[in-house]
Amino acid sequence: MTENNTHDHYDHEGSKLGMWLFIFTELLFFGGLFIVYAVMRYKNGTAFGLAAEELDVSIGAINTVILLVSSATIAMSISSIQLKKTKLTLILLATTLILAIVFLVNKYFEWGAKIEHGLYPGSESLEQLGHGEVLFFGLYYFMTGLHALHIIIGIIFIAVMMVKVKNGKLNVNRFVQLENAGLYWHLVDVIWIFLFPLFYLIA
Amino acid sequence: MEETKEHKIVSFKTYIIILFLLISHTALSVFVTQIDLGNLSVIVALSIAALKSLLVFSFFMHLLYDKRMYAFMVAGVLMVMTLVLIITFLDYGF
Amino acid sequence: MISYEFIHKFSDVIFVGLFFVNNKLLKTMSNSSLPNYLEYKGKYKGIFAWIFSTDHKRIGLLYLYSIMGFFIVGAILGLLMKFELIAPGKTIMEAKSYNAVFTLHGITMIFLIVVPGIPAIFGNFFLPILIGAKDVFYPKLNLLSWWLYIIGAAVAISSQFMNGASPDTGWTFYAPYSFRTQSNVLPALIGAFILGFSSILTGLNFIVTMHRMRAPGMKWLKMPIFPWTLYGTAWIQLLATPVVGITLLMVVAERVLNIGFFDPALGGDPVLYQHLFWIYSHPAVYIMILPAMGIISEVIPTFARKAIFGYKAVVISTLLIAFVGYFVWGHHMFTAGMSGTSLFAFSFLTFLVAIPSAIKIFNWMATLYKGSILLRTPMYWAVSFLFVFMIGGLSGMVLGALSINVHLHDTAFVVSHFHFIVFGGVGFAFFAGIHYWFPKIYGKMYDAAWADTGWIVFFFGFLLLYTPMFYLGIAGMPRRYYDYVPEFHFANILSSFGAFIMIAGLAIIIINLFRSAKRGKKAESNPWAGKTLEWTIGSPPIVENFEEIPEIK
C-alpha cells in the first residue's frame, strides 16, 4: 500500500524545511566534536600548537578554496535551473562534482603522507610525541574523516541530482531537491570553514 | 497555511562577489595567523571563520531571501550549541 | 546461573505472535463506505501489508507491538533482578550475570521503549488525525524509521548472542570502562547509534508535519496539547540525539582505533565523556516525559468535561521544559569531580526546570477543579500519574540539591526516583493513553472491570516496589549490586513482593486488552464525548483519516 495512499503533493517549502532540520542535526553532530576539540585544546594548548605545524597550510588552503568554489557553483546551478538553462545547470553541477573529487584526492595524499610518517592513531611514533599530539591527531583523523565521509555522501547526492536534471525530473517547476542538495553541500563547506583554521592555522 | 512565495533567483554576479569575499577572507586568515598574536590568533581565526560562514548561510543558503523562520531557526540552533559549549566550559575554565 | 538467552527467544516468539494475532483479530466493521485502515487491502498481503505499509496508523501499531514485545522482555529482566535481591548474597545469579542483566534491562527500557515509546506509537497514530491531516509529511521516511528501529534493536540485542560476555557497562557506557571491558560493547553501541537515527527521523517528520499539514483554520495556538508536546519533543530529538550519536561513535573509535579522547592513559578525559553522554541523555528524559504530559493533558480535560485550564501556559511550559531541559545535564555528575562553578550552575538550572513542570501540575489540578469528573479507566491512570509524577519530581529536587546528592548519589534512592519519573511518568501515561484511545484504534471496547482491576493491582504493586527503595537509598544501599548487608533485608523483601504484584497487574492489563481487541464489544466513534478531531471520525479510522479535510473554526 505504499504508493496508493501517499499523496503526490508537492510542497517545496515543506521539503526545504525537512532539509534544514536535517542540517541542524548535522550541526549538532559536529557540534559534539567541536566541544571535544575545545576542551582538548584548552587542556593541551602548546602541544596542539606544535602538532598543527605538522600539517601543510597550503594543502589546507587549496582545499578550502576548492570547497568554496564548488559551493558557489552549486548555488549558481540553482539559479540556472530557475532560468530554464538545463545545460548550464548540468555544467555547473559537474564542476561541483569534479571539485569535490579533487578535494578528496588532495585529502588522500595528505593522509597518506601523514600515515607514512607514522602519524596515525595507535602508532608508536605518535605515542612517543606525548598526549597532546596523540589527541590532536586523533581529532584530526576523526573530524576530517567524518567530513570526508560527508563529502562522499554529497558526491552521490549531486550525481543523483545530475541524472534527475538530465531526464527532466527536476525542472523549473520542481527543483527543491536540487536546492536541498545545495543546502547539504553548503553545510559541508561551512564545517570545513571551521576545520581549516582549527587544525591548520592556529599554531 | 501560507502560500509559498515566489522563489527569488539570485544573480550569478552576487554569487561571484560572495565567492570573491570568501576567498579573500581565507587568504586573510592564512596571513594573519602567520603573525604571532599569541592567544589572540585563535580568536581572530575563528572570527574570520564565523564571518565566512555567515556569508555562506545568508547568500549561498538563501537565508536572506527565504522566509524569516529559517533564519530564526538557525539562530536558535546556533544559540543552543553555544550555550552547551559555554556550560560545558564552566567545568574547565572556571 | 540464570540464562537470559531464553528470554530473548521467548520475546521473539511473543513478537511474531503479536503480529499473527493482530492480523487475525482485526476483522472489524466500518461505518464509512471507505475501508478502515485495518481492513484496507493494498499492494502487499499478510504481514507485508503491515511491515511495508506507509500508513501512519499501521506504523503506529507496528511500533506498539514491537515496543510491547521488548517491554515484556525488559520487565522480565527487572523481575529477575528483584528475585536476586529478595535475599542477601547469591539468590539466583552471580554478580556478573547481575551486571549483564541490569545493563540489558537499562538498554532495552531506555533505548527501545521509553525514548521512542509514546511519540512512535501514539504520535504516529494520532498526530496527523489531531491536526486534521491525512498522513505525516514523509510517509516513507516514517516507515524507514520503524525499520531502523528494528535493525538497531536487533544489532543491540545481538550483543547477547555473540561469543564472549554480554555487555556489563550499564546503559550509560561510561568511559573508560566501556572501552576496556572485554564484553561485547561494540554491537550495543552501534545498535544505540542506529536507534538514534530512527528517533531523529521521527522527530524531523513530526516537525515538518506540524509546520505544513495542519488543517485549514488550525492555527498554532489551536493545536491540541498532545501535538504541542510532540513538537517540543521532536526538537529535542533533533538537537540532542546527534550529540550522543557522535559520542557513541567516539567510544567505538576508542575501542577500535585507540584514539584516546576519553582515555586518561593517552591524555583523554573520561569526565568529558560523561558531559557528552548526558548532554543527550538528560534531554532524553524530556523526550520521554513531554509526550506523556501531552497524553495527560488530553485525558484530564475529556474526563473533567472542561477545556484545559490555561492552555497557553501549558504550551509555553512545554517549550520551556524542552529548552531549559537541555542545559541541566550536569546534575548526573555532581560527584564526578566537576568545578565548583558548574556544580552551582547545574544545581541552579535543575531547580529552574522544576518550575514549568509544576505549572503543568497546577494546570491539570485547576482543570479538575469544578469539573464534572467522569471516573473511567483512563482517568484512573491519569490521576495516579499526577501522584507518582509528583513523587518522582519532588525526589528529583532532593537529588538536585548538591549536599544531599553526595550522600544519595548512585544509591537505590536514585533508582527509585527515576523509576517514579520514567516508569511512573511514561508508563502511567502510556496506559492512560492506551485505555483512552483503544476504542479508536481497534473499534472495540475493552472490559472496563478488568481494566480497573489491572490498574489498582499495578498501582499498588508499583508503590510497594519503589517506595522502600527511597528508604534503602537513604540508608545507604548502593545501586547496581547483586548483594547487600542484612540490615536491608526487610525493605528488599517488600520491594520484591511489590514487583511480583506489579507484574501481575501488568499481566491483567495486557491480557484484557488483547482479549478485548479480539472479542470486545463494538465501540462507538466517540465513547468519552471527547472534543478533539480523532473523535469526529469513525472507529477504526478510514485509511486516510478524513473523507474531507476538516475546517477548524
Side-chain angles (χ1 to χ4, degrees):
Chain A
M1 68 194 280
T2 30
E3 255 41 271
N4 314 359
N5 68 343
T6 27
H7 303 275
D8 187 34
H9 72 283
Y10 173 74
D11 181 355
H12 188 107
E13 210 56 43
S15 305
K16 196 156 70 180
L17 176 60
M19 191 66 207
W20 269 110
L21 296 177
F22 180 72
I23 284 176
F24 297 155
T25 302
E26 291 277 17
L27 281 177
L28 266 293
F29 197 64
F30 278 93
L33 280 170
F34 282 118
I35 292 175
V36 175
Y37 178 93
V39 170
M40 297 301 172
R41 171 154 210 121
Y42 180 78
K43 295 172 92 173
N44 308 283
T46 329
F48 266 49
L50 289 173
E53 285 181 0
E54 295 284 323
L55 297 182
D56 190 340
V57 179
S58 52
I59 293 189
I62 289 168
N63 263 350
T64 311
V65 173
I66 287 173
L67 272 193
L68 290 174
V69 175
S70 75
S71 241
T73 52
I74 200 167
M76 288 182 202
S77 79
I78 295 162
S79 292
S80 67
I81 200 171
Q82 284 169 284
L83 297 167
K84 298 189 197 168
K85 293 179 184 161
T86 314
K87 201 169 170 197
L88 182 60
T89 312
L90 283 171
I91 293 172
L92 286 166
L93 284 175
T95 319
T96 314
L97 201 71
I98 292 165
L99 288 172
I101 292 168
V102 173
F103 178 94
L104 281 183
V105 171
N106 270 346
K107 196 91 244 163
Y108 171 79
F109 283 115
E110 198 190 356
W111 272 35
K114 288 281 158 307
I115 291 169
E116 216 163 279
H117 282 93
L119 294 174
Y120 55 89
S123 76
E124 271 178 36
S125 47
L126 186 57
E127 274 176 29
Q128 281 166 359
L129 283 175
H131 288 161
E133 280 81 357
V134 171
L135 294 173
F136 180 88
F137 280 102
L139 279 166
Y140 165 75
Y141 281 106
F142 200 86
M143 291 177 87
T144 58
L146 203 62
H147 181 258
L149 184 69
H150 280 77
I151 299 254
I152 293 168
I153 296 168
I155 288 175
I156 298 167
F157 202 167
I158 294 166
V160 173
M161 289 307 113
M162 283 179 71
V163 175
K164 286 195 171 184
V165 171
K166 188 120 204 267
N167 62 25
K169 277 198 179 144
L170 296 179
N171 52 49
V172 64
N173 295 317
R174 297 175 79 112
F175 58 91
V176 67
Q177 285 189 357
L178 184 61
E179 223 180 323
N180 287 348
L183 286 176
Y184 180 85
W185 194 251
H186 300 314
L187 167 85
V188 173
D189 190 18
V190 165
I191 290 166
W192 184 260
I193 286 178
F194 280 94
L195 290 182
F196 173 58
L198 288 181
F199 283 108
Y200 294 82
L201 290 185
I202 313 170
Chain B
M1 225 184 289
E2 62 270 71
E3 270 314 300
T4 325
K5 69 175 178 186
E6 275 300 300
H7 300 288
K8 183 173 159 75
I9 303 177
V10 186
S11 70
F12 281 19
K13 201 177 138 201
T14 316
Y15 285 138
I16 288 174
I17 293 171
I18 298 300
L19 177 63
F20 174 75
L21 282 175
L22 286 169
I23 292 176
S24 50
H25 277 87
T26 309
L28 178 72
S29 73
V30 172
F31 174 72
V32 168
T33 40
Q34 306 297 323
I35 312 165
D36 186 11
L37 295 171
N39 280 336
L40 212 61
S41 68
V42 181
I43 296 166
V44 173
L46 286 183
S47 309
I48 294 175
L51 192 68
K52 279 161 73 181
S53 44
L54 186 69
L55 287 174
V56 173
F57 271 118
S58 331
F59 291 95
F60 286 179
M61 295 172 101
H62 291 191
L63 280 186
L64 265 188
Y65 314 113
D66 272 335
K67 285 199 290 183
R68 278 284 173 76
M69 180 185 76
Y70 295 108
F72 280 122
M73 280 183 175
V74 173
V77 170
L78 293 179
M79 187 187 69
V80 167
M81 265 174 81
T82 320
L83 280 174
V84 167
L85 188 67
I86 292 172
I87 294 179
T88 310
F89 257 81
L90 291 181
D91 187 17
Y92 293 94
F94 299 92
Chain C
M1 193 180 120
I2 189 123
S3 142
Y4 37 83
E5 283 174 23
F6 88 93
I7 300 166
H8 289 299
K9 299 214 171 95
F10 179 56
S11 80
D12 289 345
V13 172
I14 293 174
F15 194 61
V16 173
L18 288 173
F19 276 120
F20 186 69
V21 173
N22 179 60
N23 287 339
K24 287 228 143 184
L25 60 83
L26 303 174
K27 299 268 191 277
T28 14
M29 285 169 296
S30 143
N31 309 331
S32 169
S33 50
L34 297 165
N36 72 46
Y37 80 103
L38 298 168
E39 288 173 333
Y40 177 78
K41 295 233 180 340
K43 218 159 52 178
Y44 305 102
K45 288 205 173 57
I47 194 171
F48 296 109
W50 285 81
I51 60 174
F52 294 128
S53 170
T54 55
D55 181 351
H56 67 101
K57 297 183 285 303
R58 288 197 173 192
I59 294 174
L61 286 196
L62 284 177
Y63 273 114
L64 174 67
Y65 301 136
S66 7
I67 288 176
M68 278 316 266
F70 290 126
F71 177 66
I72 292 170
V73 178
I76 291 172
L77 290 167
L79 193 64
L80 289 177
M81 284 190 275
K82 279 292 151 190
F83 258 117
E84 169 55 38
L85 290 176
I86 204 164
K90 181 193 162 190
T91 315
I92 58 166
M93 58 180 118
E94 300 286 349
K96 282 209 161 171
S97 328
Y98 189 81
N99 293 348
V101 169
F102 77 64
T103 302
L104 189 59
H105 173 79
I107 293 175
T108 329
M109 286 298 194
I110 298 284
F111 290 117
L112 296 181
I113 295 152
V114 286
V115 168
I118 293 176
I121 299 171
F122 296 126
N124 263 320
F125 201 106
F126 287 106
L127 171 68
I129 303 181
L130 282 167
I131 63 170
K134 294 195 167 187
D135 207 316
V136 290
F137 191 84
Y138 299 107
K140 286 179 194 161
L141 193 68
N142 203 14
L143 180 63
L144 176 69
S145 306
W146 181 76
W147 275 101
L148 285 176
Y149 170 80
I150 291 296
I151 293 167
V155 172
I157 286 179
S158 71
S159 63
Q160 304 294 320
F161 299 105
M162 292 178 166
N163 288 334
S166 305
D168 54 354
T169 56
W171 75 279
T172 48
F173 302 116
Y174 266 14
Y177 184 68
S178 55
F179 52 87
R180 294 271 168 74
T181 172
Q182 297 300 312
S183 61
N184 299 321
V185 180
L186 217 48
L189 288 170
I190 293 167
F193 183 76
I194 298 171
L195 288 167
F197 260 100
S198 162
S199 179
I200 290 172
L201 294 179
T202 304
L204 189 153
N205 211 341
F206 284 1
I207 294 182
V208 184
T209 306
M210 275 181 270
H211 271 274
R212 301 302 299 172
M213 294 178 80
R214 278 168 289 129
M218 172 140 327
K219 303 227 166 62
W220 278 105
L221 285 175
K222 284 197 172 169
M223 275 203 317
I225 299 288
F226 184 53
W228 264 114
T229 54
L230 289 173
Y231 189 71
T233 306
W235 274 105
I236 312 177
Q237 285 176 312
L238 215 58
L239 297 185
T241 320
V243 180
V244 82
I246 194 69
T247 311
L248 297 179
L249 270 192
M250 283 188 258
V251 178
V252 170
E254 201 79 69
R255 277 186 85 91
V256 179
L257 300 171
N258 212 5
I259 214 156
F261 299 163
F262 306 130
D263 189 351
L266 292 172
D269 182 356
V271 178
L272 183 62
Y273 171 83
Q274 295 189 20
H275 274 297
L276 290 168
F277 180 80
W278 290 112
I279 286 175
Y280 164 74
S281 296
H282 193 78
V285 175
Y286 297 101
I287 294 180
M288 306 163 194
I289 199 69
L290 276 177
M293 292 168 157
I295 291 181
I296 300 302
S297 308
E298 296 296 320
V299 171
I300 288 186
T302 302
F303 290 90
R305 298 276 179 268
K306 271 175 75 185
I308 189 150
F309 179 85
Y311 171 87
K312 277 188 189 161
V314 178
V315 170
I316 293 169
S317 64
T318 300
L319 299 178
L320 267 182
I321 291 178
F323 181 71
V324 182
Y326 209 98
F327 307 109
V328 301
W329 73 84
H331 65 219
H332 296 266
M333 305 160 57
F334 280 161
T335 58
M338 285 193 303
S339 77
T341 324
S342 11
L343 290 176
F344 173 77
F346 281 123
S347 182
F348 176 74
L349 287 166
T350 303
F351 282 105
L352 212 60
V353 83
I355 297 171
S357 309
I359 290 177
K360 280 202 153 62
I361 297 269
F362 293 136
N363 278 296
W364 291 323
M365 303 284 230
T367 308
L368 289 171
Y369 180 65
K370 285 192 177 170
S372 24
I373 293 171
L374 188 68
L375 279 176
R376 294 286 180 274
T377 323
M379 190 60 167
Y380 288 130
W381 283 105
V383 175
S384 48
F385 166 92
L386 293 186
F387 181 72
V388 292
F389 182 72
M390 290 273 289
I391 295 180
L394 292 172
S395 59
M397 293 290 89
V398 172
L399 288 168
L402 288 170
S403 51
I404 303 176
N405 186 282
V406 175
H407 175 63
L408 293 176
H409 191 86
D410 264 348
T411 64
F413 189 95
V414 178
V415 179
S416 185
H417 155 69
F418 69 71
H419 279 86
F420 262 96
I421 284 280
V422 174
F423 192 20
V426 182
F428 279 58
F430 172 80
F431 287 120
I434 191 85
H435 286 99
Y436 180 55
W437 280 315
F438 186 89
K440 183 56 61 186
I441 297 176
Y442 291 101
K444 302 273 181 81
M445 201 58 200
Y446 50 85
D447 183 331
W450 275 113
D452 293 350
T453 316
W455 164 73
I456 192 74
V457 175
F458 185 94
F459 187 36
F460 179 72
F462 180 90
L463 293 179
L464 188 60
L465 164 55
Y466 295 115
T467 316
M469 292 174 78
F470 279 130
Y471 158 75
L472 283 169
I474 295 170
M477 179 174 152
R479 66 193 276 207
R480 291 181 168 174
Y481 280 80
Y482 83 123
D483 192 8
Y484 51 83
V485 291
E487 289 91 309
F488 299 148
H489 195 180
F490 181 66
N492 269 304
I493 294 176
L494 278 185
S495 174
S496 294
F497 272 106
F500 305 151
I501 296 171
M502 193 184 77
I503 293 288
L506 192 64
I508 297 175
I509 294 162
I510 292 177
I511 292 169
N512 179 40
L513 289 180
F514 261 103
R515 279 171 44 107
S516 308
K518 206 169 176 178
R519 300 199 202 100
K521 273 187 288 186
K522 193 172 160 3
E524 301 158 45
S525 50
N526 190 1
W528 321 115
K531 298 278 189 233
T532 32
L533 278 177
E534 78 272 36
W535 304 112
T536 63
I537 56 176
S539 305
I542 57 171
V543 171
E544 288 186 335
N545 306 337
F546 303 98
E547 282 175 58
E548 253 174 70
I549 293 290
E551 196 147 335
I552 316 298
K553 286 178 190 79

